Amino acid sequence: RMDQALLLVRNELPAPGLRLAARSGSCHQCLYQFLAFVPPSGGSLREAGTASVMVDTPHPLTLLLNSSAADTQLCKIEYHFGEFGNYSLVVKTLNASTKTVSCDLIVNEGPINSYLPILFAFLVYMGILAVLITVRLFMKIDPVRNWVYKKLNPRETDRLINSELGSPNTTDSINCDPAPHSWSTTSRQRLHSLDTFRGLSLVIMVFVNYGGGKYWFFKHESWNGKLPFPSALFTRFVFIMGTSIALSLSSMLRWGSSKWKVLRKILWRSFLLILLGIIVVNPNYCLGPLSWDNLRIPGVLQRLGFTYLVVAALELLFTRAESGTWEAPYPALQDILPYWPQWIFILMLEVVWLCLTFLLPVPDCPRGYLGPGGIGDFGNYPNCTGGAAGYIDRLLLGEKHIYQHPSSSVTYQTTMPYDPEGILGTINSIVMAFLGLQAGKITLFYKDQHKQIMSRFVIWSIVMGIISAILTKCSKEEGFIPINKNLWSISYVTTTACFAFILLLLIYYLVDVKKLWSGAPFFYPGMNSILVYIGHEVFENYFPFKWKMQDSQSHAEHLTQNLTATTLWVIISYVLYRRRIFWKI
């Protein structure tokens, strides 16, 4: 199967037999897991005892061979097996008098290069991009443009030429309201970089949710560790939501909406997000028809809805409708000091998270436990998955109403349900959105001052990076608070915020400052993010987003299917953009 190799163990030793166990390099302080019993040799090479096992290939493995009688260690091998490879482990006696045992690993058949489909897909998309750029350059040549005018409807041709291959121009820019009157001159101030940032995160999220070609590095980390590719996507979405809150609330109040009217809109939008997450997008798989007995209460949209409610209400309480900057005693802090009550509130929330995480007593678990449970921590706390975070969810929501298949269940073999979008982690998602809100305030305070905006983004990125380095001690497992996507630890938030500021800086520079990039094609999903996210979840198992494969163990087929589905949603969002159809809640 994918991410596996075949290992044939050949035992040429006389009785007793051997016990083969393994431990993954990604499993921190884990117990060795029994793989197979290898019978003893019958006294000749032809009668050697053999056993075949499947071994995992994503991470290096440590193989341990013990005598089944005295349970003494005979050999220990660390090796990174290749996908679909065929290997033999030969155990024999080198010296009969000293009873020295050797364990030789032999490659019978080399692994395949499972990354070639990624290279091929990259070349295909680069070819499409080259064709589009070439078409755009040719359209700038007068004879070619005149020929196109003759062949096509002049009005449609004008729209094609001015669209910059689908990118918005100044007359077609839009604001948050999809109504026809929104296509006015006031909407020219919309920052395309924000929609591009949101769309980029969303497109990658859709690709990963569809399977990511079944590559292990497109999956979430089992527990603590580095930031794998998909783990920062949701945080970027939360971050840019906070940025949009600052800009949209400022715009609504500046145009005369009362705070009560804006608050009603905030409450309604939060309610709809939570409702859609519970009713429409509910991934408690394999538990039968959706009913209250197995209804998952937390979720991605639910967390977005609640986070939006808190951060938007907090901003509404302290934002000002009038334009201009506040005369601060420290000009460098003019986007921070006027909102000191907000910072106090956020810091108090973080204190609550720290107290609950490290001080709340959890039955049969050590206080302040942050581990995965299962076979982690040498199997001492098998039912303590997530510590206080998991305990609070199980206590308040019930085990059947949270996520049943956490990422820790594979590597750490956990049996307790655990929800990565649970109650306690929502506190830090609010912190993440608030940091995004700060990015929005920077663009408001330093409007059209590109150097100031970009320098502030750099400063905030450095500050977040320093905080992360302190909290984690620049270590995967040994820090005060490790980076953990499942727990949404504060170090995870500061680390992803560090990269979010840098990414926003780059996109802002390319799209809004230098205008070297229109933001296409990511701009279009960014303009219809709710529709694309809900649509890709609802129609996930329907053609043309999914079809029956010839070989379900082929990365190439999975990658083709997942990229096709993701590309279709980009095309759908582009068509909706051209027709000025936007689904806002």
Side-chain angles (χ1 to χ4, degrees):
R1 300 177 66 88
M2 286 185 292
D3 294 333
Q4 287 185 337
L6 175 65
L7 176 64
L8 174 66
V9 184
R10 181 181 176 88
N11 181 14
E12 298 181 3
L13 303 179
L18 304 177
R19 289 174 57 87
L20 175 65
R23 183 175 66 189
S24 172
S26 65
C27 198
H28 180 62
Q29 294 183 343
C30 287
L31 297 171
Y32 280 92
Q33 297 302 296
F34 173 76
L35 292 182
F37 173 77
V38 188
S41 168
S44 67
L45 293 179
R46 293 183 178 180
E47 300 179 5
T50 60
S52 298
V53 294
M54 299 296 177
V55 292
D56 294 332
T57 60
H59 303 282
L61 285 182
T62 301
L63 299 177
L64 186 65
L65 272 171
N66 289 347
S67 170
S68 61
D71 201 27
T72 55
Q73 178 178 320
L74 296 180
C75 57
K76 185 177 181 181
I77 299 175
E78 293 185 11
Y79 192 79
H80 195 167
F81 295 92
E83 189 172 17
F84 295 114
N86 190 316
Y87 303 85
S88 290
L89 178 59
V90 180
V91 184
K92 58 185 178 181
T93 303
L94 284 180
N95 191 314
S97 59
T98 60
K99 296 183 178 181
T100 303
V101 176
S102 72
C103 299
D104 299 323
L105 192 63
I106 303 171
V107 180
N108 302 323
E109 184 178 345
I112 67 169
N113 189 344
S114 58
Y115 305 123
L116 285 178
I118 297 179
L119 175 61
F120 181 76
F122 174 78
L123 294 177
V124 168
Y125 278 93
M126 288 299 100
I128 294 174
L129 178 62
V131 169
L132 294 176
I133 293 175
T134 303
V135 170
R136 180 186 175 187
L137 293 176
F138 270 104
M139 292 301 293
K140 291 183 177 180
I141 302 175
D142 289 339
V144 175
R145 186 166 59 249
N146 294 335
W147 182 83
V148 172
Y149 267 109
K150 293 179 181 179
K151 295 296 181 181
L152 300 177
N153 181 284
R155 184 175 180 182
E156 291 298 316
T157 305
D158 183 63
R159 288 177 57 192
L160 176 64
I161 296 173
N162 292 331
S163 67
E164 297 182 5
L165 292 180
S167 64
N169 56 31
T170 56
T171 59
D172 281 346
S173 300
I174 64 174
N175 61 17
C176 295
D177 188 355
H181 71 269
S182 67
W183 294 69
S184 62
T185 56
T186 60
S187 61
R188 297 179 185 177
Q189 301 302 318
R190 185 181 183 95
L191 291 175
H192 288 178
S193 56
L194 302 188
D195 295 310
T196 304
F197 184 103
R198 185 189 301 111
L200 173 62
S201 301
L202 179 60
V203 167
I204 301 175
M205 187 186 301
V206 169
F207 171 69
V208 170
N209 288 349
Y210 275 148
K214 297 298 181 182
Y215 288 101
W216 65 269
F217 44 79
F218 287 137
K219 299 177 182 178
H220 295 294
E221 191 77 18
S222 295
W223 203 249
N224 295 338
K226 64 185 185 301
L227 289 175
F229 190 66
S231 289
L233 299 176
F234 185 31
T235 53
R236 290 176 191 165
F237 209 80
V238 174
F239 179 88
I240 205 64
M241 180 181 70
T243 307
S244 301
I245 287 174
L247 302 179
S248 61
L249 291 189
S250 173
S251 176
M252 284 188 287
L253 293 175
R254 190 169 61 249
W255 282 97
S257 297
S258 67
K259 285 194 173 184
W260 283 110
K261 181 179 179 180
V262 176
L263 180 60
R264 286 195 298 270
K265 186 173 182 178
I266 292 171
L267 291 171
W268 177 245
R269 189 179 193 216
S270 301
F271 170 76
L272 286 180
L273 283 171
I274 294 172
L275 186 66
L276 287 170
I278 293 177
I279 303 300
V280 180
V281 186
N282 201 306
N284 259 4
Y285 308 113
C286 307
L287 297 176
L290 194 62
S291 67
W292 178 251
D293 292 336
N294 57 24
L295 187 72
R296 182 192 181 197
I297 297 177
V300 170
L301 290 180
Q302 295 92 307
R303 175 168 284 188
L304 283 175
F306 188 79
T307 300
Y308 174 81
L309 173 63
V310 174
V311 176
L314 185 65
E315 174 65 6
L316 180 64
L317 185 61
F318 294 98
T319 193
R320 296 168 295 158
E322 67 271 11
S323 59
T325 58
W326 182 68
E327 294 297 331
Y330 304 99
L333 302 177
Q334 63 176 337
D335 55 335
I336 299 176
L337 291 182
Y339 302 98
W340 62 266
Q342 291 180 338
W343 284 96
I344 291 178
F345 177 81
I346 292 299
L347 290 175
M348 289 175 61
L349 274 183
E350 193 54 41
V351 169
V352 170
W353 183 85
L354 291 170
C355 290
L356 289 175
T357 299
F358 292 101
L359 301 180
L360 181 69
V362 179
D364 302 322
C365 301
R367 189 165 297 189
Y369 182 71
L370 299 176
I375 62 173
D377 300 298
F378 305 110
N380 292 323
Y381 317 110
N383 297 323
C384 295
T385 304
Y391 174 67
I392 290 174
D393 289 340
R394 293 189 292 269
L395 180 67
L396 299 181
L397 303 177
E399 290 189 7
K400 292 185 178 181
H401 297 294
I402 59 179
Y403 195 51
Q404 302 296 308
H405 308 287
S407 58
S408 59
S409 62
V410 178
T411 301
Y412 289 93
Q413 300 183 19
T414 57
T415 57
M416 299 293 289
Y418 177 82
D419 208 306
E421 279 78 49
I423 297 173
L424 196 56
T426 303
I427 292 178
N428 282 338
S429 72
I430 293 172
V431 175
M432 185 68 180
F434 185 76
L435 292 173
L437 182 77
Q438 187 61 37
K441 290 177 181 177
I442 290 172
T443 61
L444 288 174
F445 273 95
Y446 300 101
K447 187 176 181 180
D448 298 327
Q449 301 178 47
H450 301 313
K451 290 185 178 179
Q452 288 284 357
I453 292 174
M454 292 188 292
S455 63
R456 298 290 287 184
F457 286 169
V458 171
I459 292 171
W460 273 102
S461 178
I462 293 173
V463 170
M464 292 296 105
I466 292 174
I467 294 174
S468 297
I470 294 173
L471 292 176
T472 63
K473 298 182 181 179
C474 298
S475 168
K476 176 180 177 180
E477 302 284 354
E478 306 302 326
F480 300 108
I481 304 178
I483 295 174
N484 190 297
K485 185 264 177 188
N486 288 283
L487 295 173
W488 267 69
S489 62
I490 185 60
S491 58
Y492 171 72
V493 168
T494 54
T495 303
T496 53
C498 169
F499 290 110
F501 275 110
I502 290 296
L503 180 61
L504 182 58
L505 164 67
L506 294 175
I507 296 178
Y508 176 75
Y509 178 77
L510 293 175
V511 175
D512 288 321
V513 178
K514 293 297 183 180
K515 301 189 184 301
L516 299 174
W517 178 31
S518 67
F522 304 112
F523 174 80
Y524 313 116
M527 292 294 297
N528 251 320
S529 55
I530 296 298
L531 184 146
V532 172
Y533 181 81
I534 294 179
H536 100 276
E537 290 277 5
V538 172
F539 297 103
E540 176 181 4
N541 295 316
Y542 293 89
F543 184 83
F545 305 103
K546 192 172 186 179
W547 58 83
K548 185 177 180 180
M549 298 183 180
Q550 295 294 325
D551 182 6
S552 62
Q553 299 304 313
S554 167
H555 281 293
E557 286 201 45
H558 280 282
L559 186 65
T560 301
Q561 186 179 88
N562 301 153
L563 285 175
T564 300
T566 305
T567 303
L568 284 174
W569 283 112
V570 174
I571 295 173
I572 290 171
S573 62
Y574 169 73
V575 172
L576 293 175
Y577 173 81
R578 298 301 299 172
R579 294 181 177 272
R580 303 181 181 182
I581 299 174
F582 304 94
W583 186 26
K584 306 290 182 179
I585 60 175

